[in-house]
Amino acid sequence: MSSPPPPATPYWVLWIVRGGGGERKEEPGLGVPTMSEGDSIGESVHGKPSVVYRFFSRLGQIYQSWLDKSTPYTAVRWIVTLGLSFIYMIRVYLLQGWYIVTYALGIYHLNLFIAFLSPKVDPSLMEDSDGPSLPTRQNEEFRPFIRRLPEFKFWHSATKGILVAMACTFFEAFNVPVFWPILVMYFIMLFCITMKRQIKHMIKYRYIPFTHGKRKYKGKEDVGKTFAS
């Protein structure tokens, strides 16, 4: 005598386990409706992005498009950044606070400036190698100076730093009480020591962190007279 078949799984149990919602179809062998793959949960799992993701993705595309359009306007970009710096300094002066944020911003800009002046490959690591090096004599082949931090990234990071620092001035939690003349003196000392070390590095390996373009050579001008036959 055969045993009775196992009871069918209730639909509400499958509905809870599979996440709920969606179309129902008969599952083979059980005779109970189950979820299809096109349900609300399956759509988010199988590749359809959410509204929030699409919004921020579109926002990032617009932001990158504006950055690409501003690339050739070097002078305009830096004028805007200097204007933001001036506005930030006026705000700190009027508020008489947030000096530690200003000090952190100065250190951040100093690190960016040093990276801007430094070559992409440290010459000290290439002394014993056969790779390309910086030109050390006037008659050597022209090699453009490749920076560790390109100009556009330098400007972009510096501008973002100013905006973040300005946003911090709206929160009292960042207004740490500190004797600001000590910060000024320490920053001046740090700036002088860092720049002295950078200049020594430039003199030792004989490079200038600015490229004015490849030198052009002109041939001798023909000063002879043409005689007609």
Side-chain angles (χ1 to χ4, degrees), residues 180-217:
W180 65 266
I182 295 180
L183 293 180
V184 173
M185 292 297 298
Y186 186 73
F187 178 79
I188 293 175
M189 292 176 57
L190 185 63
F191 178 81
C192 294
I193 293 173
T194 306
M195 290 304 300
K196 181 180 178 181
R197 183 172 55 189
Q198 182 67 24
I199 292 174
K200 284 184 176 181
H201 190 270
M202 293 165 56
I203 294 174
K204 180 180 179 180
Y205 296 102
R206 304 177 188 177
Y207 68 90
I208 299 176
F210 299 99
T211 301
H212 299 286
K214 186 174 181 179
R215 178 177 297 180
K216 297 180 180 180
Y217 299 93

Side-chain angles (χ1 to χ4, degrees), residues 3 20 36 38 48 57 65 98 130 139-140 153 157-158 176 182 191 204 212:
S3 58
S36 65
K48 286 190 177 181
S57 178
S65 175
W98 286 270
D130 297 331
N139 58 351
E140 282 192 11
K153 291 185 177 180
S157 300
V176 180
I182 295 180
F191 178 81
K204 180 180 179 180
H212 299 286

Side-chain angles (χ1 to χ4, degrees), residues 140-159:
E140 282 192 11
E141 181 184 356
F142 173 79
R143 300 187 188 95
F145 183 81
I146 302 177
R147 307 180 185 278
R148 185 191 307 172
L149 182 67
E151 179 272 332
F152 185 82
K153 291 185 177 180
F154 177 31
W155 165 80
H156 190 213
S157 300
T159 306

Side-chain angles (χ1 to χ4, degrees), residues 1-181:
M1 186 172 180
S2 61
S3 58
T9 306
Y11 169 71
W12 64 271
V13 174
L14 294 176
W15 188 80
I16 294 177
V17 171
R18 297 177 181 268
E23 300 177 358
R24 292 183 296 176
K25 63 181 181 180
E26 295 294 330
E27 183 173 337
L30 294 180
V32 295
T34 59
M35 280 198 320
S36 65
E37 293 185 356
D39 58 8
S40 58
I41 302 299
E43 288 177 355
S44 61
V45 173
H46 289 86
K48 286 190 177 181
S50 62
V51 177
V52 177
Y53 175 80
R54 285 182 291 176
F55 171 76
F56 283 103
S57 178
R58 179 57 180 167
L59 194 63
Q61 292 175 0
I62 296 175
Y63 178 70
Q64 186 62 43
S65 175
W66 280 101
L67 286 180
D68 295 340
K69 292 179 181 179
S70 66
T71 301
Y73 304 102
T74 305
V76 177
R77 288 190 280 106
W78 282 104
I79 289 175
V80 172
T81 301
L82 291 177
L84 290 175
S85 302
F86 184 69
I87 294 174
Y88 173 77
M89 296 304 295
I90 292 178
R91 177 170 174 78
V92 171
Y93 175 77
L94 294 177
L95 294 176
Q96 294 294 313
W98 286 270
Y99 300 119
I100 195 68
V101 175
T102 306
Y103 173 75
L105 178 63
I107 296 296
Y108 178 66
H109 282 177
L110 179 60
N111 290 332
L112 292 177
F113 185 61
I114 294 300
F116 175 74
L117 296 178
S118 302
K120 185 176 182 179
V121 180
D122 193 350
S124 61
L125 302 177
M126 303 176 61
E127 289 181 339
D128 300 331
S129 64
D130 297 331
S133 59
L134 295 172
T136 57
R137 293 189 298 272
Q138 185 177 2
N139 58 351
E140 282 192 11
E141 181 184 356
F142 173 79
R143 300 187 188 95
F145 183 81
I146 302 177
R147 307 180 185 278
R148 185 191 307 172
L149 182 67
E151 179 272 332
F152 185 82
K153 291 185 177 180
F154 177 31
W155 165 80
H156 190 213
S157 300
T159 306
K160 287 193 299 183
I162 296 172
L163 295 176
V164 171
M166 191 174 297
C168 290
T169 59
F170 291 94
F171 300 94
E172 191 65 27
F174 297 101
N175 188 15
V176 180
V178 65
F179 188 57
W180 65 266

